[in-house]
C-alpha cells in the first residue's frame, strides 16, 4: 500500500465557517483512521479578513504541516488569490465557477503588499489580474481544476428538498466545500454524515440541512469530477485516538492535576484555554463529591496574577493563562511570588511580539523575557512543551515543581500549538502524579513560614490552617515573614531562595529537562512547538540517508547546562531552530554552555514553520550552502 | 478562651511617625477583631504598599503585605479560593484610588464578601508627601513644590458608583466609632468599603487633627470633632430596604449627595448599605452548586499521590 500524505486547505473570510469546515474534515479523516495535523491562520479581525485552515492527513504519525497543498477547497476569490501557488502538480482546486471573472480590485481585503506581489507575478506571466488569470497559472503548473457553482448547488438543493430557505444559505458553503472534497477523494460518505450529526448534535434542525447539503455535494462531486489521483478511503483506526485542539492539553492537564482556581484576562491565543476550563468547571472526582475550577475573568492581567497568588496562598493549586502582553503586566507580581515562595503556574501562549505585534500569529518570542522576567533575583522555573500531548503531562509535572520547589513556574506554549488540531494518543490521567511538597496539613508548636532549612525549602502553611499563621511581604523578611533590612539576614534569605535553582537542577529528572531524539554529527537544538517540524524534516532527510540529531530543551530556566552539554558532547555542528528573530535559545545556550551555535534556522513571519522549509535549510547546511542565519518565509 | 485585644497584636516594632492617624486605625481593627471574637487563623489582613501597608505586620492574624495598588487582587483571590476566611484588605489612598483605582472599580462590581479600608491622608506618606488622589485641586500640602493640579477623587462616590454594597467613612481619632464601623463592615454580606480620614502629621499640614477638630472655626472651637459629625445622629437611613428601582436609586443618590459634603461639615458613618445584591461567592454557587461547601481550598485533588479527577467524559467526547 502506498503511503498517504495529503494536505487539504480551506479558506474564506473570517466568520464564514472555515473553522467548522476544517473541523468536519479533520474529524472525518481521524474517524477513518488517519493521523491529522491541522493549523489555523487568521487575522486579528472578527469578520471579513482572510482565514484558512491547512489539514495534513497521513497514515503515519506527523508533527507538522508541509508547504505542499494537495487539494484546496475555496468558496471565495481571496483564498484562490492567496493560495493557488501552494497547490502541487497533480493536486486540485475546487472553486466557485461564478468567481472566474473576479478581478483583484474587487477583493478589498487583499492588502497592498500582497496585491503588489500578486500583480507582479501575473504581469510577468502575462495573465489578467483575475481568478481566471491565477487559475491559468495553476493549470500550467499541472493543477487540476474543479469548478462548481456554489449558488446553483444551493438552488438545486432547495428545489430537491422543497425548502426554499436553503437558496440563500451561503453559510453552508463551508459544508459544501468539505463534502465536494471528500467526494473527490472517495472518502466513504457515512463518516461525513455521522460527523456532521455529532458536531451539530445540539441543533437537530441545522444538522439535518447540513447533512442534506453534504449528501448532495458529495454525490455531485463523485458524479461530475474526475481525474483526481488522490484518494482517502480510510485505514485501520488506532484505538484510543483523540482529536484535540492545541489548548486542550494544558486545560485538561490543569483539571487532572488539581488546579482549582484560574483567574484570567482575555487575550489571543490564550483565552480559549480558560474558556474551555470554565465550560467544564464542574469536575467529576473519583470516590468523592464533585470538584470545580473557579475560572474568574478579571479586569486585567495584573489582577489575574494577584488573584492567582492570593488563591495559591490558601494552598489551592492555582494558575493563570495569558500571552506576551499580559505576561508583561504580571512581572512585578512574579517577583512577589518569588520572594514569598508561592507556587503558581503562568501558562503563556506566546504570540508574535513586540508590543501587540502580530496578535493572532505565531512566535516563540518570550523565552528570554520569561527567563529574566521580574526585577531582582529570585528563583523561578521556565518550562516549554513541544506539542499538545506533551503539554498535558507537562502540566501535571510543573504543578509538582511549583509545589515542591515553592517557586512560580512559567509554562511556555504558543500560538502554533494553540490553534492546531491534531490526533494524538488518549491522555492518561493515571500518569499524573501529585506531589505537594512541604505543604502542611497541620501545624504543631511555633511556626515560621520562612524557616531556614538545610534544603532551602520551608514547610508551607496556608491561609486558614489552624495555628499556621504567617506573614508575607514583598519586602525582604525574617523567618516569620516580617520586614527586615538586616544585612546578614538579607544574605541568608537571598541565598536560601536562590539555592532552589540548584535544587531544581538536582531534583528534576534528566528526561524532563531535555529530550534527545538522537545525536549525530549535526544536531538541532530547539524548544517548544518548533520540535514538530524539525522531527518531520529529520525523518525526510533520513530517507535520503542523511542523519541529523535533535535535542529538545524543555527546562529552560534554570538551564540544564550539564545535561544538555553532555548530550551534545559528540556533535560537531549545532543548529538552533526556533520561531523568533534573535535565536533566543541560542543565546541562552551560549550563556550556559561554552560552545557556539553553528547555524540558526529562524522564522518570524508570524506563521508556523513547515517541515518542508526546515528540510530545505538543513539540506543546505549539509551541502555547505547555507548562511549562518537561515530565515524561513513560507506561508500566507 | 475568649481572645482579648492584646492577642491580636504582634510584637513587631511599629515605625509610624509619632501622632500618625494610622495608630488609631490599627487599634480599631484589633478592637473589632477582639469584639467579634474572630479566630486568628481564620482571619487574614491584606495590605498594600505605603505607610498604611505595614498594618498587616502589626496584627496577629494571617498577614499578607502585597504590592502597591494591588491589595484587592490578592485578597479577592484568597477569598474566592477559601470563602470561609474573614478577609480584610487595607491600604493607602494612593494605593487604592491612584495606582489601584481599576481594581477598586472591578472589586465593587464583583461584591465579594470582604472588607476594604482606605487610610485617607491626602498624601503619599511613604514616598514623602506627594499629592494623593484625595487631595483637593489647588491645595498645597507641606512638601508639594506647587499647588495640586488634579481634581480629587471622591472615594465614597466612587465606591457607591462601582457597586460596593456597604460604604462608610470613619475618622482615625474616633477609635470606638471606627471600631463599630469595622464590625458592621465585616458583618456585612458583600463588599464593604471604609474611607478612614487619617491625619498625617508629617506631610499633610492642611487636614490635621486640629483642622478636623475645627479649632479654626471660632464659634465651634470648644467642640471636639466639630467639623466631623455622625450621619446616624441626623436620622440618615443608608439602608436599601427592598428591591425596587426607586428605593435603590433613592439610597444611591442620597449617598452620592452626602459624599459631596466637605469643608466645615464632614459626615462620617454609614452612607449606603445594600444586601439585596448577591455577593460574588453566591454567584459562583449559582454556577457551581457545591462551591460553598467544597470550595477550591477544601477540595481533595489526589488519592495515593495520583490525580483523582475523572476527566474521562471529556476525553470520550474528544476520542474519534
Ligand atoms: C509600582 C510601584 N510604584 C511606586 C512605588 C513607590 N511607592 C511606595 S508607597 C507609595 C505611595 C504611598 O501612598 P499611599 O498609598 O497613599 O499610602 P500612605 O503611605 O500614604 O499610607 C509609592 C508611590 C511602589 N512601591 N511600587
Ligand atoms: S508619613 Fe504620615 S502617614 Fe506615614 S507614618 Fe508618618 S504620619 Fe503616618
Ligand atoms: Mg496616603
Amino acid at each position: 500500500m502506498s503511503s498517504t500524505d495529503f494536505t487539504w486547505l480551506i479558506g474564506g473570510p473570517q466568520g464564514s465557517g472555515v473553522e467548522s469546515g476544517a473541523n468536519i474534515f479533520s474529524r472525518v479523516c481521524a474517524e477513518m483512521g488517519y493521523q491529522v495535523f491541522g493549523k489555523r491562520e487568521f487575522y486579528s479581525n472578527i469578520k471579513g479578513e482572510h482565514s484558512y485552515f491547512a489539514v495534513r492527513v497521513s497514515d503515519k504519525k506527523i508533527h507538522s504541516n508541509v508547504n505542499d497543498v494537495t487539494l484546496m477547497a475555496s468558496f471565495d476569490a481571496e483564498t484562490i488569490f492567496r493560495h493557488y501557488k501552494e497547490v502541487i502538480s497533480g493536486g486540485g482546486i475546487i472553486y466557485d465557477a461564478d468567481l472566474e471573472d473576479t478581478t483583484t480590485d474587487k477583493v478589498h481585503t487583499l492588502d497592498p503588499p500582497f496585491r503588489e506581489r500578486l500583480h507582479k507575478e501575473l504581469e510577468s506571466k502575462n495573465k489578467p489580474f483575475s481568478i481566471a488569470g491565477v487559475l491559468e497559472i495553476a493549470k500550467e503548473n499541472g493543477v487540476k481544476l474543479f469548478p462548481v457553482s456554489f449558488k446553483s448547488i444551493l438552488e438545486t438543493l432547495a428545489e430537491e428538498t422543497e425548502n426554499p430557505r436553503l437558496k440563500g444559505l451561503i453559510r453552508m458553503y463551508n459544508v459544501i466545500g468539505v463534502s465536494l472534497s471528500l467526494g473527490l477523494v472517495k472518502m466513504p460518505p457515512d463518516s461525513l454524515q455521522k460527523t456532521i450529526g455529532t458536531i451539530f448534535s445540539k441543533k437537530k434542525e441545522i444538522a439535518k440541512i447540513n447533512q442534506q447539503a453534504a449528501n448532495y455535494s458529495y454525490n455531485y462531486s463523485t458524479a461530475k469530477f474526475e481525474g483526481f489521483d488522490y484518494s482517502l478511503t480510510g485505514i485501520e483506526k488506532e484505538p484510543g485516538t483523540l482529536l484535540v485542539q492545541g489548548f486542550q492539553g494544558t486545560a485538561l492537564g490543569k483539571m487532572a492535576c488539581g488546579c482549582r482556581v484560574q483567574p484570567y484576562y482575555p487575550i489571543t491565543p490564550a483565552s480559549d484555554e480558560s474558556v474551555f476550563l470554565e465550560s467544564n468547571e464542574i469536575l467529576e472526582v473519583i470516590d468523592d463529591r464533585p470538584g470545580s475550577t473557579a475560572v474568574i475573568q478579571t479586569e486585567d492581567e495584573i489582577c489575574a496574577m494577584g488573584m492567582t497568588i492570593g488563591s495559591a496562598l490558601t494552598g489551592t493549586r492555582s494558575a493563570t493563562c495569558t500571552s506576551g502582553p499580559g505576561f508583561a503586566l504580571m512581572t512585578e507580581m512574579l517577583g512577589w511570588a518569588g520572594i514569598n515562595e508561592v507556587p503558581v503556574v503562568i501558562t503563556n501562549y506566546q504570540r508574535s511580539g513586540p508590543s501587540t505585534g502580530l496578535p493572532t500569529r505565531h512566535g516563540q518570542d518570550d523565552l528570554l523575557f520569561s527567563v529574566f522576567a521580574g526585577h531582582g533575583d529570585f528563583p523561578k522555573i521556565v518550562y516549554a512543551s513541544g506539542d499538545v500531548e506533551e503539554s498535558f503531562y507537562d502540566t501535571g509535572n510543573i504543578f509538582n515543581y511549583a509545589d515542591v520547589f515553592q517557586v512560580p513556574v512559567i509554562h511556555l506554549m504558543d500560538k502554533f500549538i494553540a490553534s492546531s488540531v491534531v490526533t494524538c494518543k488518549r491522555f492518561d490521567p493515571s500518569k499524573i502524579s501529585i506531589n505537594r511538597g512541604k505543604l502542611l496539613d497541620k501545624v504543631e508548636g511555633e511556626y515560621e513560614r520562612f524557616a531556614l532549612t538545610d534544603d532551602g525549602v520551608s514547610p508551607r502553611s496556608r491561609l486558614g490552617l489552624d495555628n499556621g499563621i504567617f506573614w508575607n511581604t514583598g519586602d525582604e523578611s525574617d523567618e516569620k515573614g516580617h520586614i527586615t533590612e538586616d544585612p546578614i539576614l538579607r544574605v541568608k534569605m537571598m541565598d536560601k531562595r536562590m539555592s532552589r535553582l540548584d535544587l531544581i537542577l538536582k531534583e528534576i529528572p534528566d528526561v524532563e529537562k531535555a529530550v534527545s531524539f538522537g545525536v549525530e554529527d549535526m544536531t538541532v537544538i530547539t524548544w517548544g512547538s518548533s520540535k514538530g517540524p524539525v522531527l518531520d524534516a529529520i525523518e525526510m532527510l533520513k530517507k535520503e540517508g542523511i542523519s541529523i540529531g535533535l535535542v529538545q530543551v524543555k527546562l529552560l530556566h534554570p538551564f540544564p547546562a550539564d545535561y544538555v552539554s553532555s548530550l551534545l558532547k559528540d556533535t560537531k555542528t549545532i543548529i538552533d531552530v526556533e520561531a523568533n528573530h534573535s535565536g533566543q535559545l541560542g543565546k541562552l545556550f551560549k550563556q550556559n554552555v561554552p560552545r557556539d551555535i553553528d547555524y540558526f534556522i529562524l522564522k518570524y513571519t508570524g506563521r508556523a514553520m513547515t517541515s518542508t522549509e526546515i528540510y530545505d535549510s538543513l539540506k543546505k547546511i549539509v551541502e555547505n550552502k547555507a548562511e549562518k542565519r537561515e530565515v524561513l518565509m513560507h506561508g500566507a | 478562651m475568649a481572645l482579648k485585644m492584646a492577642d491580636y497584636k504582634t510584637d513587631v516594632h511599629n515605625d509610624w511617625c509619632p501622632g500618625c492617624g494610622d495608630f488609631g486605625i490599627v487599634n480599631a481593627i484589633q478592637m473589632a477583631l477582639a469584639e467579634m471574637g474572630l479566630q486568628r487563623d481564620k482571619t487574614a489582613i491584606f495590605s498594600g504598599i505605603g505607610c498604611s501597608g505595614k498594618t498587616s505586620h502589626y496584627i496577629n492574624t494571617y498577614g499578607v503585605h502585597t504590592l502597591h495598588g494591588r491589595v484587592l487582587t490578592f485578597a479577592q483571590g484568597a477569598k474566592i479560593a477559601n470563602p470561609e476566611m474573614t478577609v480584610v484588605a487595607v491600604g493607602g489612598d494612593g494605593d487604592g484610588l491612584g495606582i489601584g483605582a481599576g481594581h477598586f472599580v472591578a472589586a465593587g462590581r464583583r461584591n465579594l464578601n470582604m472588607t476594604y479600608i482606605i487610610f485617607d491622608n491626602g498624601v503619599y506618606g511613604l514616598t514623602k508627601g506627594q499629592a494623593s488622589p484625595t487631595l483637593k485641586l489647588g491645595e498645597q500640602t507641606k512638601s508639594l513644590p506647587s499647588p495640586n493640579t488634579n481634581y480629587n477623587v471622591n472615594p465614597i462616590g466612587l465606591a457607591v458608583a462601582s457597586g460596593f454594597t456597604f460604604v462608610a467613612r470613619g475618622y482615625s481619632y474616633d477609635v470606638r466609632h471606627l471600631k463599630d464601623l469595622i464590625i458592621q463592615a465585616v458583618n456585612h454580606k458583600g463588599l464593604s468599603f471604609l474611607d478612614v480620614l487619617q491625619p498625617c502629621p508629617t506631610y499633610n499640614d492642611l487636614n490635621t487633627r486640629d483642622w478636623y477638630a475645627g479649632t479654626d472655626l471660632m464659634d465651634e472651637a470648644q467642640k471636639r470633632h466639630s467639623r466631623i459629625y455622625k450621619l446616624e445622629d441626623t436620622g440618615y437611613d443608608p439602608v436599601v430596604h427592598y428591591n425596587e428601582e426607586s428605593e435603590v436609586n433613592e439610597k444611591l443618590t442620597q449617598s452620592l449627595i452626602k459624599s459631596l459634603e466637605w469643608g466645615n461639615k464632614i459626615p462620617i458613618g454609614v452612607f449606603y448599605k445594600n444586601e439585596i445584591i448577591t455577593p460574588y461567592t453566591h454567584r459562583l454557587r449559582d454556577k457551581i452548586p457545591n462551591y460553598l461547601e467544597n470550595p477550591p481550598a477544601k477540595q481533595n485533588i489526589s488519592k495515593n499521590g495520583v490525580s483523582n479527577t475523572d476527566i474521562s467524559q471529556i476525553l470520550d467526547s474528544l476520542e474519534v
Side-chain angles (χ1 to χ4, degrees):
Chain A
M1 206 186 90
S2 72
S3 68
T4 302
D5 193 347
F6 185 95
T7 291
W8 179 78
L9 186 145
I10 186 169
Q14 240 139 254
S16 69
V18 170
E19 195 170 353
S20 55
N23 280 342
I24 298 172
F25 187 90
S26 307
R27 201 162 172 111
V28 169
C29 292
E31 295 257 9
M32 294 307 289
Y34 293 107
Q35 298 289 319
V36 168
F37 192 98
K39 122 188 140 143
R40 184 160 94 98
E41 280 294 349
F42 52 102
Y43 275 82
S44 178
N45 156 271
I46 301 303
K47 288 213 161 110
E49 295 279 6
H50 176 65
S51 75
Y52 69 94
F53 220 116
V55 185
R56 185 177 174 203
V57 181
S58 171
D59 51 358
K60 284 186 289 294
K61 177 88 192 140
I62 42 174
H63 312 89
S64 64
N65 289 103
V66 289
N67 288 5
D68 295 345
V69 171
T70 331
L71 178 63
M72 174 161 102
S74 58
F75 44 84
D76 70 335
E78 182 163 2
T79 302
I80 311 176
F81 282 132
R82 288 196 186 262
H83 300 279
Y84 75 97
K85 272 196 351 199
E86 294 163 38
V87 185
I88 53 167
S89 173
I93 298 179
I94 295 172
Y95 69 97
D96 190 344
D98 301 332
L99 296 171
E100 270 174 26
D101 297 331
T102 307
T103 47
T104 54
D105 59 332
K106 291 282 175 319
V107 183
H108 303 292
T109 42
L110 289 179
D111 45 318
F114 176 78
R115 188 187 298 267
E116 203 174 300
R117 289 198 299 275
L118 179 64
H119 285 177
K120 255 198 200 138
E121 173 92 13
L122 288 164
E123 218 158 30
S124 74
K125 301 220 156 88
N126 243 329
K127 306 288 184 204
F129 292 180
S130 66
I131 290 295
V134 295
L135 288 177
E136 269 177 47
I137 300 180
K139 209 166 168 186
E140 287 163 16
N141 292 343
V143 176
K144 299 189 173 150
L145 302 181
F146 301 102
V148 52
S149 165
F150 280 66
K151 200 166 117 223
S152 57
I153 286 196
L154 279 184
E155 280 167 6
T156 324
L157 191 64
E159 260 169 50
E160 279 189 5
T161 58
E162 292 174 6
N163 183 357
R165 233 169 32 97
L166 291 188
K167 241 195 277 183
L169 262 191
I170 56 168
R171 243 188 303 139
M172 291 207 302
Y173 277 8
N174 59 350
V175 172
I176 297 174
V178 172
S179 311
L180 290 166
S181 306
L182 291 172
L184 195 56
V185 295
K186 307 181 191 66
M187 180 74 85
D190 305 354
S191 60
L192 171 60
Q193 293 296 329
K194 189 181 139 202
T195 297
I196 295 176
T198 317
I199 287 179
F200 296 107
S201 62
K202 292 209 179 96
K203 304 168 192 159
K204 292 274 177 285
E205 208 34 50
I206 296 178
K208 194 173 137 215
I209 55 173
N210 275 287
Q211 279 167 331
Q212 285 169 342
N215 187 38
Y216 179 82
S217 316
Y218 184 94
N219 291 334
Y220 180 96
S221 177
T222 49
K224 297 270 169 67
F225 294 161
E226 48 191 49
F228 193 59
D229 295 334
Y230 294 87
S231 61
L232 293 172
T233 50
I235 57 173
E236 202 177 319
K237 185 160 66 185
E238 244 181 76
T241 300
L242 300 183
L243 182 70
V244 287
Q245 294 190 260
F247 57 83
Q248 288 170 331
T250 55
L252 287 160
K254 283 176 180 177
M255 294 176 205
C257 82
C259 171
R260 292 297 174 257
V261 171
Q262 171 147 318
Y264 82 104
Y265 187 75
I267 189 167
T268 306
S271 9
D272 287 343
E273 197 231 54
S274 299
V275 172
F276 182 73
L277 273 179
E278 187 173 354
S279 309
N280 295 283
E281 63 195 343
I282 298 177
L283 301 163
E284 294 297 318
V285 179
I286 299 163
D287 298 335
D288 203 347
R289 55 195 171 168
S292 58
T293 314
V295 180
I296 313 289
Q297 185 187 326
T298 56
E299 60 273 24
D300 56 31
E301 285 88 350
I302 299 175
C303 181
M305 184 70 183
M307 276 196 184
T308 305
I309 297 173
S311 164
L313 289 174
T314 69
T316 307
R317 283 194 157 182
S318 310
T320 182
C321 185
T322 188
S323 190
F327 181 56
L329 289 181
M330 294 175 178
T331 52
E332 189 193 12
M333 287 189 167
L334 192 68
W336 197 96
I339 195 170
N340 284 288
E341 313 188 15
V342 191
V344 287
V345 169
I346 301 125
T347 314
N348 178 355
Y349 276 92
Q350 302 160 92
R351 63 191 213 188
S352 283
S355 191
T356 309
L358 301 170
T360 60
R361 307 291 181 177
H362 173 58
Q364 293 180 287
D365 283 29
D366 299 345
L367 172 55
L368 290 179
F369 178 48
S370 301
V371 169
F372 297 109
H375 57 287
D377 287 322
F378 60 91
K380 60 167 147 338
I381 288 176
V382 179
Y383 200 82
S385 300
D387 59 38
V388 188
E389 197 175 341
E390 270 180 42
S391 74
F392 175 76
Y393 299 102
D394 290 348
T395 300
N397 285 340
I398 62 177
F399 273 89
N400 288 343
Y401 302 161
D403 269 338
V404 170
F405 304 114
Q406 299 185 13
V407 292
V409 180
I410 300 153
H411 189 191
L412 290 177
M413 300 291 292
D414 58 47
K415 168 352 173 120
F416 181 26
I417 301 181
S419 58
S420 60
V421 176
V422 299
T423 43
C424 69
K425 257 180 91 156
R426 186 180 165 115
F427 304 150
D428 182 359
S430 73
K431 288 200 185 130
I432 302 270
S433 67
I434 290 178
N435 181 351
R436 308 242 33 205
K438 293 193 184 175
L439 180 65
L440 296 169
D441 283 325
K442 62 169 190 286
V443 173
E444 273 153 22
E446 185 88 340
Y447 175 70
E448 290 186 330
R449 169 68 187 92
F450 301 102
L452 296 161
T453 57
D454 290 341
D455 63 356
V457 186
S458 322
R460 180 162 72 100
S461 173
R462 39 179 136 183
L463 297 179
L465 186 64
D466 296 345
N467 305 318
I469 287 178
F470 58 80
W471 287 267
N472 287 122
T473 171
D475 292 47
E476 188 56 88
S477 79
D478 62 16
E479 290 91 329
K480 281 198 152 52
H482 289 307
I483 300 173
T484 184
E485 299 193 16
D486 180 72
I488 311 285
L489 195 49
R490 154 71 172 183
V491 169
K492 278 190 182 154
M493 285 297 171
M494 200 71 177
D495 289 349
K496 172 205 177 204
R497 286 190 297 269
M498 295 304 281
S499 73
R500 223 74 59 71
L501 291 172
D502 293 328
L503 188 69
I504 290 163
L505 286 174
K506 202 173 110 210
E507 299 283 323
I508 292 183
D510 283 345
V511 289
E512 291 169 21
K513 290 176 183 156
V515 181
S516 168
F517 295 88
V519 170
E520 307 286 344
D521 277 357
M522 233 174 227
T523 299
V524 169
I525 60 164
T526 194
W527 64 285
S529 67
S530 295
K531 170 192 108 171
V534 175
L535 262 184
D536 286 353
I538 286 176
E539 204 52 42
M540 288 157 80
L541 287 160
K542 203 179 255 163
K543 291 200 182 108
E544 299 176 16
I546 302 170
S547 299
I548 293 188
L550 170 61
V551 170
Q552 174 203 2
V553 187
K554 300 188 69 166
L555 177 64
L556 292 145
H557 183 83
F559 195 83
D562 290 345
Y563 183 56
V564 171
S565 37
S566 78
L567 286 174
L568 291 171
K569 70 178 183 317
D570 294 327
T571 204
K572 298 197 177 74
T573 308
I574 300 179
I575 306 159
D576 172 34
V577 181
E578 50 185 316
N580 55 55
H581 180 276
S582 61
Q584 300 189 11
L585 172 64
K587 287 195 164 143
L588 202 57
F589 177 83
K590 202 173 163 195
Q591 191 194 327
N592 290 282
V593 180
R595 268 190 84 163
D596 281 328
I597 301 289
D598 299 285
Y599 291 96
F600 291 90
I601 301 176
L602 305 172
K603 187 164 185 178
Y604 44 95
T605 57
R607 278 56 171 181
M609 295 173 186
T610 65
S611 37
T612 321
E613 42 183 359
I614 296 187
Y615 164 90
D616 290 341
S617 292
L618 289 175
K619 192 108 193 244
K620 273 162 79 185
I621 293 172
V622 171
E623 291 168 353
N624 211 5
K625 290 181 190 151
E627 308 277 338
K628 177 158 174 106
R629 184 170 179 274
E630 288 281 309
V631 177
L632 310 181
M633 294 298 290
H634 178 80
Chain B
M1 206 181 75
L3 293 170
K4 295 182 297 294
M5 184 179 161
D7 296 320
Y8 293 92
K9 293 188 171 173
T10 61
D11 49 14
V12 174
H13 165 70
N14 189 321
D15 61 5
W16 285 325
C17 308
C20 175
D22 289 356
F23 287 104
I25 307 178
V26 82
N27 283 340
I29 295 174
Q30 286 158 341
M31 284 166 71
L33 295 177
E35 189 168 322
M36 287 183 283
L38 288 177
Q39 230 177 298
R40 296 192 303 113
D41 45 26
K42 301 291 171 239
T43 305
I45 309 289
F46 287 75
S47 60
I49 292 285
C51 299
S52 45
K54 295 182 180 172
T55 303
S56 52
H57 293 282
Y58 304 142
I59 299 177
N60 197 358
T61 62
Y62 281 98
V64 186
H65 182 194
T66 69
L67 285 170
H68 193 37
R70 314 302 173 199
V71 61
L72 284 173
T73 72
F74 289 77
Q76 290 173 99
K79 182 72 187 179
I80 288 169
N82 188 353
E84 289 169 14
M85 294 288 291
T86 298
V87 173
V88 177
V90 303
D93 43 1
D95 199 77
L97 301 166
I99 188 168
H103 304 309
F104 185 89
V105 172
R109 296 173 51 214
R110 252 175 230 118
N111 195 36
L112 265 160
N113 200 351
M114 53 181 242
T115 298
Y116 183 37
I117 305 176
I118 280 189
F119 296 25
D120 184 353
N121 57 8
V123 290
Y124 279 19
L126 197 58
T127 46
K128 301 202 279 185
Q130 298 87 350
S132 92
T134 60
L135 191 69
K136 306 277 186 284
L137 176 65
E139 286 188 344
Q140 185 170 12
T141 44
K142 214 147 91 181
S143 24
L144 291 187
S146 57
N148 182 19
T149 49
N150 288 313
Y151 196 78
N152 68 293
V153 163
N154 170 352
I156 301 284
L158 186 64
V160 168
S162 303
F164 282 78
T165 49
F166 178 99
V167 180
R169 185 191 279 146
Y171 178 48
S172 64
Y173 289 118
D174 192 346
V175 178
R176 288 202 170 274
H177 182 255
L178 181 56
K179 179 250 330 173
D180 288 342
L181 284 178
I182 294 171
I183 292 174
Q184 288 184 63
V186 170
N187 287 333
H188 172 73
K189 292 185 180 55
L191 182 61
S192 47
F193 171 61
L194 272 176
D195 174 33
V196 183
L197 305 174
Q198 174 241 317
C200 162
T202 305
Y203 293 115
N204 190 334
D205 52 345
L206 301 176
N207 309 114
T208 58
R209 185 176 196 155
D210 281 349
W211 183 81
Y212 282 117
T215 47
D216 57 320
L217 302 176
M218 292 302 284
D219 48 344
E220 291 174 90
Q222 301 313 313
K223 266 200 332 205
R224 250 178 87 72
H225 300 165
S226 56
R227 264 199 170 81
I228 289 171
Y229 75 95
K230 297 189 172 115
L231 285 171
E232 54 269 33
D233 294 343
T234 65
Y236 178 93
D237 176 13
V239 179
V240 175
H241 292 286
Y242 47 93
N243 193 8
E244 246 169 54
E245 206 180 311
S246 58
E247 165 76 355
V248 178
N249 289 355
E250 192 197 310
K251 294 290 158 60
L252 268 173
T253 2
Q254 163 190 272
S255 63
L256 279 172
I257 292 170
K258 263 292 162 218
S259 75
L260 297 169
E261 245 178 60
W262 189 261
N264 288 354
K265 281 186 85 193
I266 301 172
I268 61 172
V270 183
F271 283 69
Y272 180 72
K273 180 174 168 72
N274 181 347
E275 282 189 340
I276 293 162
I277 295 178
T278 53
Y280 195 76
T281 42
H282 288 63
R283 298 175 204 165
L284 281 177
R285 187 198 53 194
D286 290 345
K287 310 198 300 161
I288 302 167
N290 73 356
Y291 165 74
L292 288 172
E293 303 92 72
N294 194 25
K298 293 269 143 71
Q299 290 178 37
N300 195 357
I301 59 167
S302 69
K303 199 172 174 185
N304 306 324
V306 175
S307 165
N308 65 351
T309 312
D310 182 2
I311 56 168
S312 58
Q313 276 188 32
I314 307 171
L315 293 176
D316 288 348
S317 73
L318 297 173
E319 191 163 328
V320 288

